Amino acid sequence: MFTFEQYLGFLAFATILTIGFWLMIFLITFVVPYWIGGALMERLKEMRDEKKAKRQALN
């Protein structure tokens, strides 16, 4: 059926595949939304500061 080297190769492949799968799940569910949310909050903060600066320049 399988030689021992083939069995070890299959185990290595299955391990790498599983690690990659869980890494993608982690990135999609936590890291990417955190990154997008932080970028949006930073942009809104910049826009609010620009409006405040314009108001102060008019006064």
Side-chain angles (χ1 to χ4, degrees), residues 29-48:
T29 58
F30 294 108
V31 175
V32 172
Y34 181 77
W35 179 37
I36 292 172
L40 286 174
M41 288 178 57
E42 191 69 28
R43 181 64 184 138
L44 291 173
K45 186 178 172 184
E46 289 175 5
M47 290 170 56
R48 188 176 40 211

Side-chain angles (χ1 to χ4, degrees), residues 47-59:
M47 290 170 56
R48 188 176 40 211
D49 290 344
E50 287 175 10
K51 285 182 183 179
K52 188 184 288 185
K54 285 181 183 178
R55 270 192 240 127
Q56 287 178 354
L58 291 175
N59 292 336

Side-chain angles (χ1 to χ4, degrees), residues 19-38:
I19 289 171
F21 171 76
W22 287 113
L23 178 63
M24 287 301 295
I25 294 297
F26 172 73
L27 289 174
I28 290 170
T29 58
F30 294 108
V31 175
V32 172
Y34 181 77
W35 179 37
I36 292 172

Side-chain angles (χ1 to χ4, degrees), residues 7-27:
Y7 178 69
L8 287 179
F10 173 75
L11 283 181
F13 172 75
T15 302
I16 291 168
L17 183 72
T18 304
I19 289 171
F21 171 76
W22 287 113
L23 178 63
M24 287 301 295
I25 294 297
F26 172 73
L27 289 174

